[in-house]
Amino acid sequence: MKTLLKRIAFFCTLCLIISCNTTGGQYLGEGDNNGNAYSIGNDAMADKLLMLSEAYSEKNTEELVKHYDSTFLGENGVESTRAWLESMDSISMKPYVVIPVKLEGDNDTKVLAWSKEERHYKNGSYEKLDLMEFFNFNKDGKVDAFKQWKSIDSSNFGKSYGGKFIGKGENEYSGRPLVFSDRNEVAIIEKLIRDYNDMNIEEFVKPFAENTILNVYTGERLELKKSDLPNLFDEYTSVEWVPYAIVPLKIYNTDAASGVQVMSKEKRVFKNGKVWEKELFEIFYFDLDGKITSMTQFARDF
């Protein structure tokens, strides 16, 4: 009887093992693979990832690029890889999780890797990162796609927010940090500068709201309609506006309105022969529609 019970137990266990799923998850992106499941991939690709990380940590460009598909590297891929590695005194990539997976119907193996990485740059900078990375190994065992997500050790690298907004008086935003804004403000300012230098009035006025306030460095406040802006060029024969830096910022956890700090130098040649030349610090304020509603300017002589 005991023997019969053991055989029944063994048979049930075997059935459970056989019935266990060998696939899981689901690809939810677009394309023919939508809805397909994943399974554990070939450990050989995980081993290749470890060899890649070793070559990377040793700054061995020749060995490292062997693991990448030539099309993915591109024409200057080897030299750009070498320049990247040689910009550092040392770099260390230490994977602590490596998982090869295959998508049903796909010949490639996707390796997911979690790793600790430290970078000591020759310019004195230092980064300490916790990375999650995706490497796509094609049927030839070469990496032809790569993505990276990182958690930053803020004590060494810096946070994604910082500083403090105080304001001219106590308000609901006082004390909040600042973050970078990214609503195309830099490209808009760069084009504004080009159009200004070309004295292309029609294009120059486009980024401005219908009503704009210009607080110029002399303390004068100009309230202008969009139709008034072309008059700014009336007295000039030429202008030259050269930016040093363009920094778009907004207050943390508020709407998308932003302020863009522009550091620059500017030269204006007047029709009467006078030359005006100064270094400038200006803040351009963008509203929710992405239009410039005001500008505050500070200046100093050379």
Side-chain angles (χ1 to χ4, degrees):
M1 187 67 178
K2 289 184 179 179
T3 302
L4 178 61
L5 290 174
K6 287 181 180 179
R7 287 179 179 178
I8 293 173
F10 174 77
F11 178 75
C12 291
T13 303
L14 182 61
C15 288
L16 284 171
I17 293 172
I18 292 173
S19 65
C20 283
N21 289 334
T22 58
T23 62
Q26 189 176 110
Y27 177 71
L28 300 177
E30 297 180 354
D32 296 337
N33 290 322
N34 179 269
N36 288 356
Y38 289 91
S39 61
I40 295 298
N42 191 336
D43 271 344
M45 296 302 107
D47 292 337
K48 281 181 175 289
L49 187 280
L50 293 176
M51 288 188 285
L52 181 155
S53 66
E54 183 178 354
Y56 180 73
S57 298
E58 292 176 352
K59 298 170 55 181
N60 187 336
T61 302
E62 285 69 26
E63 189 62 31
L64 178 61
V65 297
K66 290 179 183 178
H67 297 284
Y68 289 89
D69 183 82
S70 59
T71 304
F72 176 71
L73 277 174
E75 184 178 355
N76 299 314
V78 176
E79 290 310 312
S80 61
T81 300
R82 191 189 314 279
W84 160 250
L85 293 175
E86 290 183 355
S87 70
M88 290 170 278
D89 287 322
S90 67
I91 185 168
S92 173
M93 174 185 176
K94 297 180 179 179
Y96 58 89
V97 176
V98 179
I99 306 173
V101 297
K102 288 185 70 70
L103 181 62
E104 182 182 353
D106 189 352
N107 293 324
D108 296 349
T109 298
K110 298 150 195 338
V111 178
L112 308 178
W114 284 257
S115 61
K116 301 285 187 180
E117 187 166 318
E118 291 189 64
R119 304 168 183 173
H120 294 263
Y121 292 86
K122 290 181 178 177
N123 64 9
S125 295
Y126 171 69
E127 294 177 12
K128 185 177 181 181
L129 306 169
D130 198 343
L131 302 175
M132 187 276 173
E133 296 170 306
F134 158 82
F135 296 82
N136 191 83
F137 286 85
N138 61 23
K139 58 183 177 59
D140 298 319
K142 303 289 186 181
V143 175
D144 62 4
F146 168 77
K147 287 187 178 180
Q148 181 185 86
W149 297 265
K150 58 188 175 184
S151 174
I152 299 169
D153 183 334
S154 60
S155 64
N156 295 296
F157 188 77
K159 298 178 180 178
S160 59
Y161 61 91
K164 180 184 287 188
F165 176 79
I166 299 170
K168 294 182 179 180
E170 189 69 25
N171 60 73
E172 61 179 308
Y173 304 131
S174 294
R176 293 192 187 182
L178 299 166
V179 296
F180 282 110
S181 180
D182 186 15
R183 290 195 302 148
N184 210 36
E185 296 100 329
V186 172
I188 292 171
I189 292 293
E190 288 179 323
K191 185 176 186 304
L192 182 74
I193 292 171
R194 289 196 300 270
D195 294 332
Y196 180 80
N197 289 336
D198 293 339
M199 299 180 71
N200 185 340
I201 296 172
E202 183 178 354
E203 289 296 313
F204 175 78
V205 301
K206 285 184 178 179
F208 290 89
E210 289 303 318
N211 294 286
T212 304
I213 297 172
L214 303 182
N215 299 295
V216 296
Y217 73 98
T218 58
E220 188 177 3
R221 175 186 170 94
L222 305 176
E223 297 186 15
L224 303 176
K225 295 181 179 179
K226 198 168 189 174
S227 58
D228 297 327
L229 293 174
N231 300 331
L232 297 175
F233 294 91
D234 285 349
E235 298 180 359
Y236 308 147
T237 58
S238 67
V239 291
E240 184 182 18
W241 185 12
V242 181
Y244 298 154
I246 302 172
V247 184
L249 297 171
K250 67 178 293 294
I251 302 169
Y252 179 74
N253 198 22
T254 60
D255 61 35
S258 61
V260 181
Q261 299 179 358
V262 180
M263 286 152 276
S264 65
K265 68 176 181 179
E266 185 180 337
K267 181 178 180 181
R268 306 170 187 170
V269 179
F270 290 80
K271 291 177 179 178
N272 62 7
K274 179 182 175 182
V275 176
W276 181 97
E277 193 169 11
K278 294 186 183 296
E279 283 192 317
L280 301 173
F281 177 82
E282 297 166 308
I283 306 174
F284 292 81
Y285 294 94
F286 284 71
D287 65 13
L288 295 178
D289 295 320
K291 295 294 185 180
I292 299 171
T293 58
S294 69
M295 185 275 291
T296 299
Q297 180 186 73
F298 304 88
R300 76 181 185 93
D301 295 324
F302 283 103

